[in-house]
Amino acid sequence: DTAVSQTPKYLVTQMGNDKSIKCEQNLGHDTMYWYKQDSKKFLKIMFSYNNKELIINETVPNRFSPKSPDKAHLNLHINSLELGDSAVYFCASSLSGNQETQYFGPGTRLLVL
Amino acid sequence: QQQVKQSPQSLIVQKGGISIINCAYENTAFDYFPWYQQFPGKGPALLIAIRPDVSEKKEGRFTISFNKSAKQFSLHIMDSQPGDSATYFCAANYLGGKLIFGQGTELSVKP
């Protein structure tokens, strides 16, 4: 049983393109997150949504736009991709009463050429 | 300061030995300190966590030691096994759900 799933697993694209990453969780959680892990494995939070409302928005370029159609889904759309966007993007989820305990998805490996 | 400093960057331990990873923080508003384990090609998985009002927490071979006055905490892996070889991240929770991660430690346990 997959708890937090992401699609696609790999994404190779050209600079300037627009791409989306999808995330779904079946844990019954109401809070979801996007993290970026760079080439040095450093993990940094990007966004957090609680019941479809944005609650954490770090200093991320506005080319990145998260969308949460419902509390089980959180998608990440990236416009005008740049070389520096190459990274692994992780989705995570938690309960709002226990937001510090987060469960991560398997990651989406994005390579911008 | 919303930083968590982790050391060492890499660690090699013999099978059966003790692996120790250290983390330090500045922000006293952090209220929860989890450790995550990440295998290559996988997402981070919660391993063990502690709150700042507790000095030690043990789960199986994994122990967190927490020193509130020094603003330091550490992960001890007893009887380290080759299957423990992974990258370990300490983290600190800020403002309900904003996890600040350390830089990670690549642990290699030699048979």
Side-chain angles (χ1 to χ4, degrees):
Chain A
D1 286 348
T2 304
V4 181
S5 60
Q6 294 178 229
T7 55
K9 189 171 182 179
Y10 299 97
L11 190 51
V12 181
T13 188
Q14 298 289 327
M15 229 173 22
N17 284 350
D18 302 339
K19 290 294 178 184
S20 291
I21 305 171
K22 295 186 176 183
C23 178
E24 177 181 0
Q25 55 91 8
N26 63 4
L27 295 168
H29 291 165
D30 55 4
T31 306
M32 296 183 72
Y33 311 80
W34 278 112
Y35 285 84
K36 180 180 180 180
Q37 186 171 48
D38 64 22
S39 57
K40 294 183 179 179
K41 294 192 177 179
F42 184 65
L43 268 164
K44 187 169 170 31
I45 191 166
M46 301 171 69
F47 302 102
S48 168
Y49 268 77
N50 176 258
N51 275 322
K52 302 192 294 178
E53 286 194 34
L54 183 66
I55 55 173
I56 294 175
N57 186 353
E58 288 298 284
T59 50
V60 177
N62 57 16
R63 298 182 295 102
F64 290 79
S65 53
K67 281 189 172 53
S68 182
D70 56 60
K71 65 181 184 180
H73 296 84
L74 179 63
N75 303 323
L76 182 65
H77 188 76
I78 315 171
N79 288 325
S80 303
L81 278 156
E82 299 178 357
L83 294 177
D85 297 332
S86 296
V88 183
Y89 292 84
F90 287 102
C91 176
S93 72
S94 71
L95 284 170
S96 56
N98 193 17
Q99 287 175 347
E100 60 269 13
T101 303
Q102 297 177 18
Y103 296 85
F104 283 73
T108 294
R109 284 144 188 83
L110 171 65
L111 177 61
V112 182
L113 302 174
Chain B
Q1 266 287 32
Q2 289 188 32
Q3 276 189 0
V4 178
K5 294 182 180 179
Q6 184 173 344
S7 63
Q9 190 174 350
S10 63
L11 181 61
I12 300 174
V13 172
Q14 289 297 122
K15 180 182 174 183
I18 303 174
S19 304
I20 302 174
I21 304 170
N22 301 300
C23 287
Y25 64 98
E26 289 294 327
N27 193 337
T28 55
F30 290 147
D31 60 3
Y32 181 78
F33 300 86
W35 284 87
Y36 281 82
Q37 180 188 55
Q38 184 179 26
F39 292 105
K42 305 292 185 184
L46 181 63
L47 189 62
I48 186 172
I50 198 167
R51 297 204 181 272
D53 54 348
V54 176
S55 61
E56 185 175 282
K57 183 172 181 181
K58 184 176 181 179
E59 288 184 2
R61 297 184 294 110
F62 300 91
T63 300
I64 300 178
S65 296
F66 191 87
N67 186 329
K68 189 174 181 178
S69 60
K71 298 179 193 171
Q72 294 174 349
F73 58 110
S74 60
L75 176 70
H76 291 64
I77 306 174
M78 312 300 287
D79 187 26
S80 298
Q81 299 296 314
D84 296 331
S85 298
T87 301
Y88 291 81
F89 294 93
C90 63
N93 180 67
Y94 181 68
L95 295 179
K98 185 175 175 180
L99 286 180
I100 308 298
F101 282 85
Q103 296 89 337
T105 296
E106 286 195 31
L107 171 65
S108 178
V109 181
K110 299 299 185 185

